[in-house]
Amino acid sequence: MSESGQIGDGETALTSREVRAIVASRSNPQRRAFQRWYLDPWALGAILVALLVALPSGAVMLLAIFPSENIWGHLSATVLPGYIRTTLGLMLGVGLGTLFIGVSTAWLVTMCRFPGRRLFEWALLLPFAVPAYVIAYVYTDLLEYAGPMQGALRDLFGWNSAADYWFPEIRSLGGAISMMSLVMYPYVYLLARTAFLEQSPHLLDVSRMLGQGPWRSFFRLSLPIARPSIAVGVAVVLMETLNDFGTVDYFAVRTLTAGLYDVWLGMGNLGGAAQIACVMLLFVVVLITLERLGRRRQRHFQSGRRYQELPGYDLRGWRAGAATMSCLLPLVAGFVVPATVLTHYALNNLTTPWDAEFEIYARNSLLLSASAALLAVLIGIFLAYSRRLHKRAVLLAAVRLASLGYALPGAVLAIGVIIPFAAFDNRVDAWMREHFDVSTGLLLSGTVFAVIFAYVVRFLALSLGAIQASLSKVTSNMDMAARALGHGPASTLARVHLPLIRGGVLTAALVVFVDCMKELPATLILRPFNFDTLATYVFQFASDELLAECALAALLIVASGLIPVFLLSRTLSRTRRIVIEPD
Amino acid sequence: MNPLHSVLLVAALLCVGTASAEQEVNVYSYRQPFLIRPLFDAFTKETGIKVNVVFAEEGLVERLKREGANSPADLIFTVDIGRLSDAVEADLVQPVQSPVLTANIPAQFRDPGNLWFGLTTRARIFAVSKERVAPGEATSYEALAEPQWKGRICTRSGKHVYSVALTAAMIAHHGEAEAEKWLTGLKNNLARRPQGNDRAQVKAVKEGQCDLALINSYYVGNMMADKEQAEWVAAVNIVFPNQDSTGTHVNISGMAMTRSAPNPENAKKLMEFLSGDLAQQIYAEQNYEYPVNPQVPWSGLLKSWGEFKVDSLPLAQIAQYRTAAIKLADKVGYDD
């Protein structure tokens, strides 16, 4: 499977070397131009776009050079070791949690038949629509000492105080790990499922013919082949874990982000906070590098053509029951429980019924998220494909650079957006004043455009990851064949790659959309006057632990996350059906 | 007219249009909009001036700084003295000379150079269990470090602005070494790891996890107004600490005019309006805070608690010791 690049394309008549020779002979006249690769619009454009997207991260790094006071002496003597331990613990816990839930459920619904499978296929995505701070709030209410759960237990067993019995403390590292795993496993589920769907059914046929059972097929074949996608999913989860503030703050779990906020807001030392942000960026770079080192000798290709429906394993008896339970648990814990509690709050809180402004907030949320999702996907495709065209270190670096924004906490990223935007606005204004005696004021700062830009910078890593993972599974023989037939890069992308990676592109769009719906810190800081989204509306109450007052709006965020979930799952299963038909 | 001319004309009209648009004033607010919207609506009703708001919990001072001379913001609203002094230190605000403001707001609650003004005050008080704490048992912040309170106290994070301000006040009164001893003692007396907001501490007292919670005064009124939380607050008595010594620690919510304010006249009008009788009354009634304007009567609840001695420490000093206070919290591992 490694190096050969022949999995699943038994029909390919030409070897790669032959195709390469044909391509070379066809494109000979332009060959010299292609050697000056940086003049190619794909390469040049990719570098420019990546630089633009990297502006905020760059601004934060610049800030880090000028702290108002050196914080490290104080931090390392006091809280830093604890912060790092907690951060690593949290990342490890959430990483393993999402990996386990995401991959196992994806495998079950893709490869096995058991009661409820059709429902779980899409329903397993639902927890994704629940913002992490909302689920944290809901479960704290249910499970803390004063909550109904422990209250009922005390009544039942006649316990009088906390000293009489043991109950897991929800506001703890373990609690944070559980909550985050519950709402973030869909990242891994989505990518793993897309990867499993893209796998050639021949694989399993071969595996069966060789007498391998489902477990061995899973561990020896499917899992290694899906690894690039799964790795992207887990990397995304870990970055999101690293930059989360709302949940860890609520649970009083002190991570590096908490330290960053102390230094920034408490000590008024933005430079020092930026230094901590850079340390967090470093975490991510190390993480991604480790993962890549782990599979540097592997390459997996497969043709996008599938000849039949996935064979699947028919589960019976206790196996079917176990499969149903495995899918039901995360769904109930991650979605049904919080949605029920929110509905309960909303019904009990009729003092704040339907607010006419909800429609405006909902429209704002939808428009911002949809535009950001569209942009993030377009840029994602452009960067990933440019990188495919030009396998050069510069482009690799550019693509990596463009993904960095995701590792920054939202509020820090927002500052990183404000700095270049305001600088640009003020330069233009000064120039216009000087030459035309006209003040242009702030053109970009404080506009919806700034918010959308921040979303794209923040979530590009998601779309890029999903698209790259899909693209990497298309054998390069396809590119060569298309080029040999006289198609240029753009036409090849449109006619060959896009149809093949449609699942990955849709995944990217969905993930970015839903994440934008939930995004908070950057929206708050960057938005125009009198501009609210559902998330900011919910936040003004939630920040005061008054979630009951805004339960309805929180439900709306969850509900609007459902629309893309439905769309995506429908298209995903349709991709499967379409490709079954012979071309 | 050739096309270029018409474009220029339209552009010129647009510029004029925005310049002479309706009267407005722009606010960057750290206060939740649902708390200040009613005041702004009242202001618009009275003056016809529209109030535009951006609310965020952090980053607005940075936004203001970077936007520079072109920033649209006229006013900045904060929920504590710390953020106000951040804006002052970054040289982002301008003094406002107004006889109305100086008459309405006592000197203790505004900057000597008129750079910032307090709007409301809130006291850092004790909520003590009615059952488990005898009257007169809880008296002062200092006493919270004594062994009799071992395992009986709940507070929020030691690095939240409200906690930090109290620690800063302790530093200002007793010096850093004493304050560190005090904070260590308080930490050792905590019933649980600091978590949740002030409401959550009262809830914990009601549920018997601890006997004394350190909270901001307005939470009591807010909790009474909530069906469920009213039960929590019914389980506690309110104590104003340090009545025999320095007085109860108070903080302010406040406002300042930005250096770049494009609508300074309107901004000044809004500031004056907010310090006046009507707004002060709405503010105090709605969020159960103490009006800074001494002529404005207190809400019924505040009246029922009676007058109390306020710590006369200048707020600027509290702001000054903020960083030291956070470092102390780190040093004694308050949140661990």
Side-chain angles (χ1 to χ4, degrees), chain B residues 39-62:
Chain B
L39 296 163
F40 293 160
D41 288 345
F43 175 70
T44 307
K45 210 168 140 195
E46 195 176 293
T47 60
I49 299 170
K50 189 173 173 237
V51 186
N52 303 312
V53 187
V54 176
F55 152 74
E57 280 220 323
E58 64 255 335
L60 290 178
V61 169
E62 279 79 13

Side-chain angles (χ1 to χ4, degrees), chain A residues 38 40 47 59 69 122 161 183 205-206 209-210 247 260 338 352 388 395 412 416 444 447 458 476 496 506 524:
Chain A
Y38 50 84
D40 177 52
I47 290 171
E69 176 194 10
W122 58 268
S161 76
V183 291
D205 287 345
V206 169
M209 281 194 294
L210 295 176
T247 320
L260 185 154
T352 46
R388 188 181 174 89
L395 274 141
V412 177
L444 302 173
T447 64
R458 185 154 159 73
S476 50
V496 177
L506 274 165
L524 280 174

